[in-house]
Amino acid sequence: MPTAKINQHNMYYEIHGNGPPAVYVGGWDTFCHGKQHFLARGVTEKYSVLLIDYRGIGESDDDLSVTPTTELHADDIIGLLDHLGMKKVYFIGLVGIGACIGQWVALKRPDLVRCMVNMGCWAYSDDCMRDQLNALGTMHKKAGFLAFQELVAVYSFRPDYYIANRAKLLGSGKVWGALENNLTAHLRFTEDCNTHDIRPHMKYISAPTLIIHAGCDVITGPRTTMPLEKGLPNAVGVTMPEVAHVVAGKKEKIEFCEILHGFLDSQ
């Protein structure tokens, strides 16, 4: 499996599909290792989609002496894109840290980002979000992975979806599985998220950007995403009023794909 020495660590990646280059990254997990079926339908038919294991999860290692930041992850992706010779990528950042990383990539290397999608993200971590993320870390540390998994799933899915699919979501190897037996990576992700602050730099990010506001997201809903729509000079916003932190369920996924492909096709 492909691993490259990038930014002082071994970085695992996969490329799926054919077409113009795209980066597809999410939250505290990975789309690699057989999980590419979680990608939005149709992206691998249109694009060559680059997937990665973040530092410290999957097959990517980490240097624990280095302070974790979203900018560090951005430097990793920049290094990998240069290594692979990819430019002008469609950068799809969803459900958390992936979108924040994309903001830094677009700022630091505008030649690499053709356009950007941000969903479930933030310009900076306010007190509410910081306390939520710290509570999740404390739950994992004090009560174990399965207790953390249950709490984060309750936060992240609509109640009706959670109730109907609880058995499929919870348990060893299921949602947020990359953090199972990996508290260190979880706590470093938390530090990444809590220290992210792109506000002083937003006006310099020129990439056309779609901001998707999830109306039922209690972690990174419109409170945290609307400042990006207002602050990024080439941003447009779309609200999905019934969506929680994770897009789930057939109807929501169809609507999401229509919004996503509509934007990407226009760029």
Side-chain angles (χ1 to χ4, degrees):
M1 294 296 181
T3 302
K5 190 73 172 182
I6 303 294
N7 197 19
Q8 307 302 313
H9 84 299
N10 294 306
M11 189 172 185
Y12 177 89
Y13 66 94
E14 298 175 2
I15 299 175
H16 296 269
N18 295 287
V23 175
Y24 201 117
V25 285
W28 298 344
D29 212 318
T30 180
F31 292 109
C32 296
H33 315 293
K35 295 183 179 179
Q36 66 270 16
H37 60 281
F38 289 113
L39 303 178
R41 183 171 294 181
V43 293
T44 56
E45 283 72 43
K46 291 183 178 181
Y47 307 102
S48 295
V49 182
L50 175 64
L51 310 176
I52 66 165
D53 282 345
Y54 292 125
R55 286 173 173 259
I57 67 170
E59 298 299 319
S60 291
D61 60 20
D62 197 5
D63 179 353
L64 300 185
S65 69
V66 177
T67 300
T69 64
T70 50
E71 188 174 0
L72 175 66
H73 288 290
D75 288 339
D76 293 344
I77 291 180
I78 288 169
L80 183 60
L81 290 173
D82 284 342
H83 173 75
L84 297 172
M86 289 184 169
K87 293 182 182 291
K88 294 297 181 183
V89 303
Y90 297 81
F91 200 107
I92 305 167
L94 304 176
V95 195
I97 194 173
C100 297
I101 293 166
Q103 295 161 17
W104 283 112
V105 176
L107 173 70
K108 301 179 80 168
R109 290 288 303 276
D111 60 305
L112 296 181
V113 180
R114 178 173 184 152
C115 63
M116 182 168 59
V117 177
N118 274 204
M119 184 178 185
C121 57
W122 54 99
Y124 74 105
S125 180
D126 62 20
D127 287 342
C128 181
M129 181 180 156
R130 190 177 304 110
D131 287 349
Q132 286 174 314
L133 298 186
N134 287 339
L136 292 172
T138 299
M139 178 68 80
H140 190 171
K141 183 176 181 179
K142 300 294 186 181
F145 171 76
L146 295 179
F148 150 73
Q149 181 192 58
E150 185 175 277
L151 181 59
V152 72
V154 166
Y155 265 143
S156 299
F157 295 93
R158 286 193 337 268
D160 59 324
Y161 184 89
Y162 178 85
I163 291 166
N165 295 277
R166 185 176 184 277
K168 297 179 182 179
L169 298 173
L170 303 183
S172 180
K174 297 185 181 179
V175 293
W176 286 272
L179 300 183
E180 189 171 1
N181 300 314
N182 200 350
L183 176 63
T184 297
H186 181 179
L187 297 182
R188 285 173 68 80
F189 274 138
T190 300
E191 187 172 352
D192 293 329
C193 294
N194 283 341
T195 57
H196 178 73
D197 190 348
I198 202 72
R199 288 175 295 176
H201 312 289
M202 284 196 289
K203 63 183 178 181
Y204 303 114
I205 297 176
S206 59
T209 303
L210 172 66
I211 309 295
I212 302 178
H213 308 291
C216 292
D217 186 345
V218 298
I219 305 174
T220 53
R223 185 189 85 256
T224 68
T225 52
M226 193 59 72
L228 291 162
E229 180 182 344
K230 293 179 179 179
L232 294 174
N234 291 316
V236 294
V238 176
T239 298
M240 299 183 71
E242 303 300 322
V243 171
H245 189 61
V246 178
V247 176
K250 183 177 180 179
K251 180 181 178 181
E252 285 187 7
K253 289 181 178 180
I254 291 172
E255 181 185 2
F256 169 74
C257 285
E258 290 175 349
I259 294 169
L260 176 68
H261 286 291
F263 174 76
L264 297 180
D265 290 347
S266 72
Q267 301 305 310

